[in-house]
Amino acid sequence: MNDIILKNNLKETRAKKGLSQEELAKAVGTTRQTIIAIEKNQFNPSAKLALLLCIALDVKFEDLFYFD
């Protein structure tokens, strides 16, 4: 069975909203390093963090995250 990889549009979406990595991190209660890792697809956020990111960026889950 092939591995399904969760990818995201976080960097692009964050930039469109005019937020820095630091600002987004503070808004969702995490660190800038975590935001960087998610943007580079090096870390998959928990369901809670993914939801908080969607709320902070005012986007649907499926618009921010996708499977490849």
Side-chain angles (χ1 to χ4, degrees), residues 8 10-11 14 21 24 34-41:
N8 66 77
L10 183 58
K11 185 174 185 177
R14 176 183 56 74
Q21 292 169 331
L24 181 57
T34 298
I35 299 299
I36 291 168
I38 296 169
E39 287 183 353
K40 291 183 176 182
N41 291 303

Side-chain angles (χ1 to χ4, degrees), residues 2-67:
N2 294 335
D3 289 334
I4 298 174
I5 300 170
L6 181 67
K7 295 198 173 183
N8 66 77
N9 297 311
L10 183 58
K11 185 174 185 177
E12 298 83 358
T13 305
R14 176 183 56 74
K16 284 181 188 175
K17 299 289 182 174
L19 292 171
S20 70
Q21 292 169 331
E22 185 68 31
E23 290 169 328
L24 181 57
K26 285 183 181 178
V28 298
T30 192
T31 65
R32 180 174 169 264
Q33 288 76 17
T34 298
I35 299 299
I36 291 168
I38 296 169
E39 287 183 353
K40 291 183 176 182
N41 291 303
Q42 295 172 339
F43 174 74
N44 285 332
S46 65
K48 180 180 177 181
L49 180 53
L51 178 59
L52 290 172
L53 288 167
C54 292
I55 292 168
L57 295 168
D58 193 29
V59 295
K60 294 178 184 176
F61 178 88
E62 58 269 21
D63 293 334
L64 193 59
F65 296 96
Y66 60 95
F67 293 102

